[in-house]
């Protein structure tokens, strides 16, 4: 490759790095200013983890081309976005349980069934929560051999009723806060855990996301461009031993 060709190639590479980093910086700034009222910013926020992965690619790209200034900027942006995501999400690993007790549940997207458990638990009460005009959740109180009651909640929030999410999350919060024991929620919340509404719900209830990011819509086992909205929530003493998907059913082993 000739001298001028090399210069043009390096110029294109530098332009690519600069434009990419500037765009990411603008996006992160907009997300920092986001108050949840803009639908455009909400769509950007829902793709926040994809921006994180692209940011990670830029770190490796600038390192490969030995551009120190751009690499430092890419790393700084990466840490800023990671800090934002990590407030409410586990990016790559499940939260490991500390205890030896185990609870097995299953979840099938689109169904409002009570989560089945193994024979060590007895269902004490069950019912349905009307969270909004079109959104609901199924619940079941189960008791283990130590007479400890765990509240299991299963939900599927349809995106066509997104206007009702605020009401549904608020009513779900009231139900969670009324419980005296551990609570586990499994389902499709319609929004990722880093959405402002979801973050407020986690903060107000004390629940946290226990699973790594699941790139699935509940039908296909892996859909990279799908906004990850399926989550497993619990209090601090709960963790996940394993999550697997067979067919369209999630098999979840919880530990506490």
């Amino acid at each position: 490759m000739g001298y001028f060709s090399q210069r043009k190639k390096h110029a294109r590479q530098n332009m690519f790095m600069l434009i990419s980093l500037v765009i990411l910086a603008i996006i992160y700034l907009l997300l920092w200013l986001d108050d949840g009222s803009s639908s455009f910013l909400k769509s950007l926020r829902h793709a926040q983890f994809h921006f994180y992965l692209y940011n990670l690619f830029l770190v490796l790209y600038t390192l490969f081309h030995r551009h120190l200034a751009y690499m430092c900027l890419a790393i700084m942006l990466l840490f800023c976005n990671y800090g934002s995501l990590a407030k409410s999400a586990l990016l790559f690993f499940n939260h490991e349980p500390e205890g030896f007790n185990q609870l097995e549940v299953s979840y099938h997207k689109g169904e409002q069934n009570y989560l089945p458990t193994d024979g060590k638990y007895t269902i004490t009460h069950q019912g349905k929560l009307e969270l909004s005009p079109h959104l609901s959740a199924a619940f079941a109180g189960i008791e283990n051999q130590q007479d400890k009651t765990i509240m299991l909640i299963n939900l599927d929030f349809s995106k066509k009723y997104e206007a009702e999410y605020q009401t549904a999350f608020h009513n779900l919060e009231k139900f969670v806060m009324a419980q005296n024991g551990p609570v586990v929620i499994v389902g499709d919340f319609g929004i990722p855990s880093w959405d402002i509404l979801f973050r407020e719900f986690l903060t107000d209830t004390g629940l946290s996301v226990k699973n790594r990011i699941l790139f699935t819509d509940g039908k296909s086992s892996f859909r990279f461009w799908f906004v990850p909205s399926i989550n497993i929530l619990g209090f601090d003493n709960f963790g996940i031993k394993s999550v697997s998907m067979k067919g369209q059913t999630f098999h979840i082993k919880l530990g506490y």
Side-chain angles (χ1 to χ4, degrees), residues 8 13 36 58 69 74 79 98 103 114 134 148 151 157 166 175 183 191 203 218 226 231 247:
K8 288 181 180 180
Q13 291 170 347
L58 286 177
F79 275 101
E98 297 180 359
L103 171 64
Y114 309 113
H134 297 96
K148 184 176 184 179
M151 179 59 65
F157 287 174
Q166 182 132 12
F175 182 78
V183 175
I191 52 178
T203 300
F226 187 81
N231 285 294

Side-chain angles (χ1 to χ4, degrees), residues 34-39:
D34 179 29
D35 61 359
S37 61
S38 169
S39 58

Side-chain angles (χ1 to χ4, degrees), residues 49 82 89-96 209-214 240 243:
F49 183 69
Y82 174 81
L90 299 173
L91 303 191
F92 303 108
F93 302 100
N94 298 322
H95 175 77
E96 295 290 337
V209 176
K210 300 302 178 180
N211 56 281
R212 67 185 186 279
I213 293 177
L214 301 173
I240 294 179
V243 178

Side-chain angles (χ1 to χ4, degrees), residues 6-19:
Q6 286 183 341
R7 288 195 60 180
K8 288 181 180 180
K9 179 181 177 182
H10 291 156
R12 287 194 300 268
Q13 291 170 347
N14 289 338
M15 185 61 66
F16 167 75
M17 289 184 280
L18 178 61
I19 292 176

Side-chain angles (χ1 to χ4, degrees), residues 1 15 20 38 63 67 75 77 93 95 98 102 118 172-173 182 188 193-194 197-198 200 213:
M1 184 181 295
M15 185 61 66
S20 295
S38 169
L63 175 63
H67 203 303
I75 291 174
L77 292 174
F93 302 100
H95 175 77
E98 297 180 359
Q102 182 171 299
D118 55 36
L172 182 60
E173 175 194 333
D188 189 342
S193 62
W194 48 87
L197 178 61
F198 205 133
E200 291 175 350
I213 293 177

